[in-house]
Amino acid sequence: MIDLSKLLSKDDIQRGSIRYSKDCSKAKAGVRKGMGPVVVWNITNVCNFKCKHCYSSATATKDQEELTFEQIKKVVDDLATINVPVILLSGGEPLMRENIFEIIEYIKSKGINVSLSTNGSLITKDVARKLKNLGIGYVGISLDGTSKTNDIFRGVSGSYDSIIKAIKNCKEVDQKVGLRFTIQKKNYKEVTDILKLVDEIDIPRICFYHLVPSGRGQNIINDMLTHDQTREVLDNLYDYVKKNIVNGIDKEILTVANFADGIYIYLKEKDEYQKSRILDLLSRNGGNRSGIAISNIDYKGNVYIDQFSKNHLLGNIKQDSFSSIWNENKEGLLNEIRNKKDKVKGRCKECKWLNICNGNLRARAYGYYNDIWAEDPSCYLTDDEIRSEVDDYIVEYD
């Protein structure tokens, strides 16, 4: 995750401690020393939408292997012992999960922060108030274009309107809320329209996800942006963030699942002081930390390096605790992922920004080439750019 607003601000915005503290990139199995990873937990496979890019391939009916409430509580107890800072509840649609509010309450009782990733369709005023009262840190609502585009992409007529209502319901009770926008060929031209919406109804945060060909997303692999289209989107976001900074507007504009974005912004920036600051923050961030600072548990209890890597199972919490899977796996895939600089191939292997990017997204390499160590096809940096300026600026970390 790249916080463009933080990178481009000349002030020290006090957020992103999980991503930008000085010891983040040195951690081997958590967000930083003494803490576990952020856990993205697909708490159910059930969903009332039919999104074309769904990495979980969610369905309308419950899978009988879904974890019970008692099993969930046992996992939460274990996560608390390794100081997991945040659990991001996702799905399917997490608000369709039985006992979801009791699950949230139990997680909070263990001192773990909770965020929610949702399609927004079930967030009435009462639900928004309940989420606020439970202490949800953040509600991320998926929106993938203007009205017609979004409804086609999400497979449900009227979904755009329900999303707007959900945002307003959250804002009415002062629940922090934002948008999640997956960029692909059929909607990238609407990024400017979505930014106008962000301004019109004063949405404080939006995350732009690069499409990952995982789950049903594999079926739309050809809708991944071209490199030129990606650069066009990043240019628009750069200009938008710069305008906000000049006007004293503090909104969080982030990109997700393509760590070339931070390098592109660094190379695009002309101010030398700002370039130095950007590089320092990117060095702290450490690039892609799937299998290190990011983890995933699905509704069956399967454990993965991240939510997009469902083809690479690490273990299952019905047989072993999450903490043992995460911290005692000295061999195999997890160890290789944590030392991926020795494994990546192609342009990733040759790139002198590897310490900043950390090999970009392995799930996309696998989805595109059927090889987890292949170069990430979404890296849009030119051959000249992956070799430029590095020797003068790069920061090495042990």
Side-chain angles (χ1 to χ4, degrees):
M1 182 174 286
I2 303 294
D3 188 338
L4 301 184
S5 304
K6 187 176 180 74
L7 292 185
L8 292 171
S9 173
K10 292 189 176 181
D11 299 320
D12 187 18
I13 298 174
Q14 297 300 315
R15 63 170 180 257
S17 59
I18 289 178
R19 297 187 297 274
Y20 297 110
S21 68
K22 290 186 177 181
D23 60 349
C24 279
S25 62
K26 298 180 182 180
K28 301 299 182 183
V31 297
R32 56 177 180 263
K33 188 176 181 180
M35 298 185 74
V38 170
V39 175
V40 180
W41 196 340
N42 301 112
I43 205 75
T44 183
N45 69 301
V46 180
C47 191
N48 54 345
F49 280 16
K50 305 170 186 175
C51 303
K52 294 182 178 181
H53 64 307
C54 180
Y55 64 79
S56 292
S57 299
T59 64
T61 57
K62 177 181 174 180
D63 191 304
Q64 294 306 307
E65 294 186 68
E66 187 174 278
L67 295 175
T68 67
F69 187 27
E70 290 305 312
Q71 288 172 323
I72 286 172
K73 290 196 291 184
K74 185 178 179 180
V75 176
V76 173
D77 291 344
D78 179 53
L79 297 179
T81 67
I82 59 171
N83 297 318
V84 163
V86 180
I87 294 175
L88 171 60
L89 294 176
S90 186
E93 171 48 51
L95 291 174
M96 295 187 75
R97 161 75 205 208
E98 183 182 10
N99 298 325
I100 186 61
F101 297 119
E102 290 86 351
I103 292 170
I104 293 170
E105 187 173 29
Y106 191 79
I107 296 171
K108 291 291 294 182
S109 76
K110 296 299 176 177
I112 302 174
N113 293 318
V114 182
S115 295
L116 195 69
S117 179
T118 171
N119 62 37
S121 63
L122 302 177
I123 302 183
T124 62
K125 290 183 179 181
D126 287 341
V127 169
R129 189 174 296 106
K130 191 154 192 173
L131 294 174
K132 175 67 176 180
N133 291 339
L134 284 168
I136 293 288
Y138 174 70
V139 175
I141 301 178
S142 296
L143 177 74
D144 293 302
T146 54
S147 181
K148 183 178 179 180
T149 302
N150 176 81
D151 289 6
I152 291 172
F153 198 53
R154 308 201 75 78
V156 175
S157 179
S159 61
Y160 179 89
D161 292 335
S162 69
I163 291 165
I164 300 303
K165 287 180 183 177
I167 294 168
K168 291 180 178 179
N169 288 339
C170 287
K171 286 175 59 65
E172 189 173 310
V173 297
D174 199 30
Q175 168 64 58
K176 185 175 181 181
V177 65
L179 293 178
R180 304 168 73 251
F181 183 102
T182 299
I183 321 164
Q184 38 95 24
K185 286 180 179 176
K186 293 183 175 66
N187 71 4
Y188 83 99
K189 287 291 187 180
E190 297 182 7
V191 166
T192 301
D193 295 318
I194 297 305
L195 291 174
K196 289 178 181 177
L197 176 69
V198 165
D199 290 337
E200 287 170 5
I201 59 179
D202 193 23
I203 302 171
R205 189 178 200 250
I206 181 167
C207 297
F208 290 93
Y209 282 71
H210 294 264
L211 179 64
V212 181
S214 177
R216 283 201 293 270
Q218 186 69 47
N219 298 328
I220 57 170
I221 191 171
N222 292 329
D223 287 340
M224 287 170 51
L225 297 186
T226 67
H227 293 175
D228 286 343
Q229 289 168 344
T230 306
R231 295 169 83 96
E232 181 181 332
V233 170
L234 264 292
D235 288 343
N236 287 338
L237 296 182
Y238 177 91
D239 291 343
Y240 177 79
V241 172
K242 282 284 193 176
K243 182 184 71 173
N244 280 349
I245 291 170
V246 168
N247 293 328
I249 300 171
D250 181 19
K251 290 187 183 294
E252 295 180 70
I253 311 300
L254 306 101
T255 65
V256 183
N258 194 333
F259 292 87
D261 293 347
I263 300 162
Y264 182 73
I265 293 299
Y266 166 79
L267 294 172
K268 184 178 177 66
E269 180 58 47
K270 301 303 181 185
D271 182 89
E272 289 302 321
Y273 167 81
Q274 197 65 23
K275 286 175 74 75
S276 177
R277 184 177 182 280
I278 290 170
L279 189 63
D280 177 56
L281 290 170
L282 292 177
S283 300
R284 295 184 190 186
N285 178 270
N288 176 22
R289 295 197 290 158
S290 297
I292 301 172
I294 298 293
S295 61
N296 176 244
I297 304 173
D298 75 6
Y299 61 92
K300 297 180 183 180
N302 292 319
V303 178
Y304 307 96
I305 61 170
D306 61 37
Q307 65 270 39
F308 304 114
S309 300
K310 304 294 189 183
N311 292 300
H312 298 90
L313 178 66
L314 299 178
N316 185 285
I317 57 85
K318 294 176 184 176
Q319 284 79 49
D320 299 289
S321 67
F322 177 90
S323 57
S324 64
I325 294 170
W326 199 253
N327 293 321
E328 297 175 16
N329 188 334
K330 303 300 182 184
E331 298 179 358
L333 177 65
L334 191 54
N335 181 62
E336 292 179 336
I337 285 292
R338 291 172 180 171
N339 296 280
K340 69 172 75 71
K341 294 172 189 175
D342 298 327
K343 304 285 292 184
V344 293
K345 304 173 184 176
R347 295 179 82 244
C348 288
K349 184 70 173 180
E350 300 167 0
C351 181
K352 293 186 178 180
W353 295 104
L354 187 55
N355 281 341
I356 298 294
C357 170
N358 203 19
N360 221 331
L361 203 67
R362 297 296 89 213
R364 189 181 289 110
Y366 182 82
Y368 200 84
Y369 295 113
N370 199 34
D371 181 355
I372 195 172
W373 304 120
E375 63 188 46
D376 186 333
S378 71
C379 178
Y380 52 95
L381 301 178
T382 66
D383 289 345
D384 286 341
E385 286 171 338
I386 70 172
R387 296 179 177 88
S388 66
E389 304 186 62
V390 183
D391 292 335
D392 291 333
Y393 290 98
I394 202 70
V395 179
E396 293 281 354
Y397 284 89
D398 295 329

